[in-house]
Amino acid sequence: MKVRTRFAPSPTGYMHIGNLRTALYAYLIAKHDCGDFLLRIEDTDKNREVEGALDIIYNSLKLAGLKHDEGPDIGGPVGPYVQSERVKAGIYMDYAKMLVEKGEAYYCFCDDERLSKLKKTINGEEISFYDKHCLSLSKEEIEANLKAGKPFVIRQNNPTTGTTTFNDDLYGDITVDNSELDDMVLIKSDGYPTYNFANVVDDHLMNITHVVRGNEYLSSAPKYNRLYDAFGWDIPKYIHCPPITDETHHKLSKRHGAASFEDMIALGLLPECILNFVALLGWSPASNEEIFDLNRMIELFDYRRISKSPAVLDMTKLRWMNGKYIEMMDENRYLNLAMPYVDKVITKDLDKKKIALLVKTRIEVFPDIPDKIAFFNDMSSDYDKNLYANEKNKLTKDESASILNDVLNILENTDDFSNDNLFTILKEYGKSRDIKVGKLMWPIRIALSGLEVTPAGATEIASIIGRGETINRIKNAINYIK
């Protein structure tokens, strides 16, 4: 049988990282076995629908490179792929009535007042467990209520004795007592299906072979399986994924700063890096690789290697990985992405391309660029003068001032400000005074940048900012040290 998976989001807001992982794993399972990946929009809860959310779903999948084979925007043989359109076609009601005829479901006419009396508080949590009151209604009573237009729902008729066992490809066989299975609503009073019922019907009609979802749905699996059995349908393979937490092991939220795909993009993270990182949130390849593109993911992915332990979204590691992606990026693409950040801070006539390339291996995200290069344009006149005293090089502030005075004299008589020439003549000066290169270049670099760490050495900085600016900054430094 051909492998078919689906991503079935609700248009209720942003693309949560957990949603993106579900989409990615479903995509990888399908493509690893040359199968189909479907997109289905589950919009039966109109109260939670958010304007523009559908565009977010399409844009996020496109940006992530997860191209679906069938879906609302491209069609396919088992459409429509939007649940509200399937409601209009009467699909869910027809299947619910089929279960009623089999005795596997029943009409329930209980009003809100009666249902509220069934609610119980257990361990501080309010739980409603239906008592099968309407299961005993006669056929005549049901027909009379329907004819009178009395509001109703259709409930699943679950047994109250015995057990139900279901198999999950990660968790194995799980058995539950049937007394724990509530008669869940299949069709709501507005005629719309519940999430659980629509999922079962749609997954069967769309020939879905593998269902990827969070492990919070483990408790619902027995009810799903009883529906499959009631219809006489084959049960798909279940892959329940572990939860994703922040570094403090709490549930991800918008307050965390990176709960969604959009949040991460806004932080300057690359889509391909995010996808790589998300793949590793609960899964690891047999090869122990950490950095791979989507094609390599497809090749490596084995869902049986998904962990049952919670996955931690480590932003430090994500930034590190993004830096590796930037390092590996081809020069043209890098410059295309970096130059807007360079243009923000470099307003003088300097070699912006050269400046951009200096930080290619020194940034983790592109928004890091301005802080690392701003000194090329203008350096602060008030920086820590104690930087001129360097313990590593056994350098005092007075020695730095002496070196800068000598270097100033040399540079004022130098016309060739290329990096190679500057390095050569200053190295010769250091040799003549028995000063090692590191000790010599330290005060010059501080004088030209005001920073302890820079993306370029002293002579390279001088060659970029030019002769006049270099001489001016060294003069200011000499006065500043005093």
Side-chain angles (χ1 to χ4, degrees), residues 459-471:
T459 56
E460 195 164 18
I461 294 172
S463 70
I464 291 173
I465 63 177
R467 183 176 183 277
E469 182 68 12
T470 297
I471 291 172

Side-chain angles (χ1 to χ4, degrees), residues 406-451:
D406 288 347
V407 168
L408 177 62
N409 183 56
I410 293 169
L411 296 182
E412 285 181 328
N413 293 284
T414 301
D415 292 324
D416 182 357
F417 255 64
S418 66
N419 178 48
D420 290 343
N421 183 60
L422 291 174
F423 188 83
T424 298
I425 60 175
L426 291 179
K427 185 178 179 181
E428 285 299 317
Y429 157 72
K431 188 176 180 180
S432 69
R433 284 195 52 186
D434 196 26
I435 303 173
K436 292 182 179 180
V437 172
K439 185 174 182 177
L440 168 65
M441 296 299 179
W442 178 269
I444 303 173
R445 188 168 59 80
I446 299 299
L448 299 182
S449 69
L451 301 173

Side-chain angles (χ1 to χ4, degrees), residues 111-120:
D111 57 23
D112 290 340
E113 183 179 354
R114 183 177 189 281
L115 293 174
S116 65
K117 294 178 181 178
L118 299 176
K119 293 179 180 179
K120 297 179 180 179

Side-chain angles (χ1 to χ4, degrees), residues 60-286:
S60 295
L61 290 177
K62 183 178 180 180
L63 199 57
L66 304 180
K67 185 178 180 182
H68 47 284
D69 300 291
E70 301 171 26
D73 53 336
I74 57 177
V78 292
Y81 295 87
V82 178
Q83 283 188 340
S84 59
E85 295 177 17
R86 297 173 72 80
V87 170
K88 293 175 183 176
I91 293 173
Y92 307 112
M93 185 63 78
D94 287 346
Y95 278 96
K97 289 179 178 178
M98 190 184 301
L99 290 180
V100 171
E101 292 173 5
K102 289 185 169 189
E104 300 286 353
Y106 58 94
Y107 289 97
C108 174
F109 300 93
C110 293
D111 57 23
D112 290 340
E113 183 179 354
R114 183 177 189 281
L115 293 174
S116 65
K117 294 178 181 178
L118 299 176
K119 293 179 180 179
K120 297 179 180 179
T121 300
I122 301 176
N123 297 325
E125 184 179 354
E126 192 174 64
I127 297 176
S128 180
F129 209 85
Y130 190 64
D131 61 359
K132 291 184 179 287
H133 174 75
C134 289
L135 180 61
S136 61
L137 294 177
S138 67
K139 185 177 180 181
E140 290 74 22
E141 288 176 301
I142 294 172
E143 289 178 354
N145 285 339
L146 293 175
K147 188 174 181 180
K150 191 172 182 178
F152 69 88
V153 299
I154 296 179
R155 291 181 179 275
Q156 182 180 12
N157 184 17
N158 283 316
T160 55
T161 60
T163 60
T164 295
T165 299
F166 72 97
N167 179 269
D168 177 90
D169 265 29
L170 300 181
Y171 292 83
D173 287 339
I174 299 176
T175 300
V176 297
D177 195 309
N178 287 337
S179 63
E180 299 175 8
L181 303 182
D182 185 30
D183 285 358
M184 68 176 179
V185 173
L186 305 181
I187 300 293
K188 296 178 288 187
S189 58
D190 60 4
Y192 273 70
T194 57
Y195 171 85
N196 292 326
F197 184 57
N199 260 260
V200 169
V201 172
D202 287 345
D203 286 344
H204 171 73
L205 296 180
M206 294 181 178
N207 303 309
I208 300 302
T209 60
H210 296 68
V211 174
V212 182
R213 58 190 179 195
N215 67 3
E216 67 269 23
Y217 291 105
L218 270 171
S219 60
S220 300
K223 299 177 185 179
Y224 291 155
N225 284 15
R226 295 202 69 85
L227 286 174
Y228 280 104
D229 289 339
F231 282 119
W233 295 340
D234 291 335
I235 299 172
K237 288 184 178 294
Y238 292 123
I239 298 98
H240 289 95
C241 303
I244 302 173
T245 70
D246 62 21
E247 291 95 335
T248 62
H249 303 289
H250 289 92
K251 184 179 179 180
L252 287 182
S253 67
K254 291 292 283 184
R255 288 176 297 175
H256 180 262
S260 77
F261 188 41
E262 293 88 339
D263 291 335
M264 289 187 170
I265 294 295
L267 290 173
L269 296 160
L270 297 164
E272 60 268 37
C273 174
I274 299 171
L275 205 67
N276 185 162
F277 183 78
V278 167
L280 296 171
L281 290 176
W283 169 81
S284 60

Side-chain angles (χ1 to χ4, degrees), residues 4-8 36-40 68-71 78 81 206 208:
R4 285 171 64 84
T5 65
R6 48 74 170 173
F7 176 50
D36 295 327
F37 172 64
L38 285 65
L39 174 64
R40 184 173 75 224
H68 47 284
D69 300 291
E70 301 171 26
V78 292
Y81 295 87
M206 294 181 178
I208 300 302

